[in-house]
Amino acid sequence: MPFPQHRPRRLRQNPAMRRLAAQTRLHPSELILPVFLKEGASEPIAISSMPGVVQHTRESLKRASAEAVELGLGGIMLFGVPEHHDATGSESLNPEGVLNDGIRAIKEEVGDDLVVMSDLCLDEFTDHGHCGVLDDAGNVDNDATLEIYGQMGVAQAEAGAHLVGPSGMMDGQVAVIRQALDHAGHQDVGIIAYSAKYSSAFYGPFREAVDSQLTGDRKTYQMDPANRREAMLETMLDLEEGADMVMVKPAMSYLDILRDVAEVSDVPVSAYQISGEYAMIEAAAANGWINRDAAMAESVLSIRRAGADTVLTYYAVELGRALKEGSL
């Protein structure tokens, strides 16, 4: 047999050659750090199912945001963990509540040197753990929830958020929030829409992180994992309603969806490497089954390769530091 004419291995012979031929690269500015602020905490509280991740105090949150700026991260996504819960999630609208105060704390520390994003959803604030208010039959009332979402968007904008992140998968949420923001004079505050958010089994550790009160599930409003084309419908609706960025969540289990969204979106696309995806890597590494650092980098690189312009990941600080030091 003749020797092969084409030898792709020529471009893999050493690290320098592989760097030269790499088709996807990571940069700190593409990484968004999700963080949790715990109301009433006197010191950071470790989250047992997410090793290395904590519920922050106000002061440790400020330090984390300063570190994110130092590393050149693209942004920070804030989730509030309140002490008080009720049926309508009223603390979400409290200007002095944990989420809005956390936004102010970050802005006090870093100003506009870091894109400050805030989760716009009721699940952390309700005593039933759902992403919206319930009707008399115990179902999530889409339109009544939208009214609160509009008010939440304004409250978060007034606290200083650059981008608000509606994650509740209510129909029409982007349009209602955009209208509320514009009416309140916040035309420059953007919306990063959780456009294709699936009802996933991988959210478990996150519920510990936000002290979730949820009983039951969210299958009536989050997407069915079986559906692919529906993600395009959800994304196109959000784009029509004025989303400035769109997101796929989870990321690693939905790389096909991410690819689809990236091919049609005319705005930046993000993907969220969620708590369960993070926890699986940590657990496997702790058992010595995989190389933790290599898996960390490869997992986020795969999300970028599939089409994400930015990635929300609990590894943002570690990856940012490794990239800055040149060890990746």
Side-chain angles (χ1 to χ4, degrees):
M1 293 181 61
F3 292 111
Q5 181 178 358
H6 299 288
R7 295 181 184 266
R9 290 176 57 191
R10 294 185 187 116
L11 300 183
R12 306 173 193 149
Q13 294 308 301
N14 56 59
M17 185 66 78
R18 292 191 291 274
R19 283 196 303 271
L20 178 67
Q23 298 170 3
T24 306
R25 304 175 194 277
L26 293 178
H27 190 275
S29 64
E30 300 159 351
L31 305 175
I32 299 166
L33 176 65
V35 290
F36 306 97
L37 175 61
K38 171 71 170 176
E39 185 175 17
S42 58
E43 60 183 25
I45 301 170
I47 300 169
S48 63
S49 56
M50 301 173 68
V53 181
V54 301
Q55 294 175 325
H56 282 285
T57 67
R58 196 177 197 272
E59 288 307 309
S60 69
L61 175 65
K62 293 173 73 170
R63 292 194 296 271
S65 61
E67 182 180 37
V69 171
E70 177 190 353
L71 295 173
L73 300 188
I76 191 167
M77 175 65 81
L78 179 62
F79 297 86
V81 186
E83 292 182 321
H84 173 72
H85 303 82
D86 59 29
T88 61
S90 61
E91 274 299 293
S92 66
L93 302 180
N94 181 357
E96 306 304 319
V98 61
L99 181 56
N100 295 321
D101 182 59
I103 296 168
R104 284 195 301 274
I106 298 172
K107 290 296 291 288
E108 288 169 7
E109 186 69 20
V110 302
D112 294 331
D113 291 339
L114 182 69
V115 177
V116 180
M117 308 176 184
S118 51
D119 181 59
L120 199 165
C121 192
L122 287 176
D123 60 326
E124 296 103 305
F125 298 94
T126 55
D127 55 12
H128 46 72
H130 279 287
C131 298
V133 295
L134 305 182
D135 61 20
D136 292 340
N139 301 312
V140 173
D141 187 326
N142 189 94
D143 295 1
T145 299
L146 292 181
E147 294 183 24
I148 299 175
Y149 279 9
Q151 298 173 57
M152 287 181 69
V154 172
Q156 292 176 13
E158 291 178 348
H162 297 111
L163 290 169
V164 297
S167 60
M169 291 298 288
M170 297 298 120
D171 294 338
Q173 61 185 13
V174 172
V176 167
I177 294 166
R178 182 72 271 157
Q179 183 179 20
L181 289 171
D182 291 352
H183 183 73
H186 296 294
Q187 292 88 349
D188 292 336
V189 174
I191 298 175
I192 177 169
Y194 288 62
S195 298
K197 181 179 179 181
Y198 284 82
S199 180
S200 172
F202 294 104
Y203 293 136
F206 180 89
R207 292 175 183 167
E208 178 191 354
V210 297
D211 297 348
S212 175
Q213 310 296 304
L214 181 68
T215 56
D217 58 53
R218 299 175 176 139
K219 293 181 179 180
T220 61
Y221 48 99
Q222 293 180 351
M223 288 184 58
D224 186 337
N227 292 355
R228 182 172 180 174
R229 291 192 303 273
E230 186 182 16
M232 297 304 98
L233 171 61
E234 292 280 7
T235 299
M236 297 311 296
L237 288 172
D238 282 354
L239 291 173
E240 290 170 8
E241 292 176 15
D244 299 283
M245 301 176 68
V246 294
M247 187 194 303
V248 174
K249 181 180 181 181
M252 293 170 63
S253 307
Y254 295 85
L255 295 179
D256 58 330
I257 308 300
L258 176 56
R259 180 71 259 160
D260 290 345
V261 169
E263 288 178 351
V264 302
S265 176
D266 54 4
V267 302
V269 176
S270 190
Y272 197 148
Q273 184 183 42
I274 65 169
S275 60
E277 295 169 332
Y278 173 89
M280 286 193 301
I281 293 173
E282 291 297 307
N287 278 283
W289 297 334
I290 60 173
N291 180 308
R292 178 185 180 276
D293 292 348
M296 169 182 68
E298 182 181 338
S299 66
V300 177
L301 185 68
S302 74
I303 298 167
R304 284 276 295 114
R305 188 187 65 240
D309 300 296
T310 55
V311 181
L312 287 87
T313 174
Y314 301 99
Y315 289 122
V317 167
E318 281 191 78
L319 282 172
R321 184 176 296 113
L323 290 164
K324 184 176 182 180
E325 295 172 352
S327 58
L328 275 184

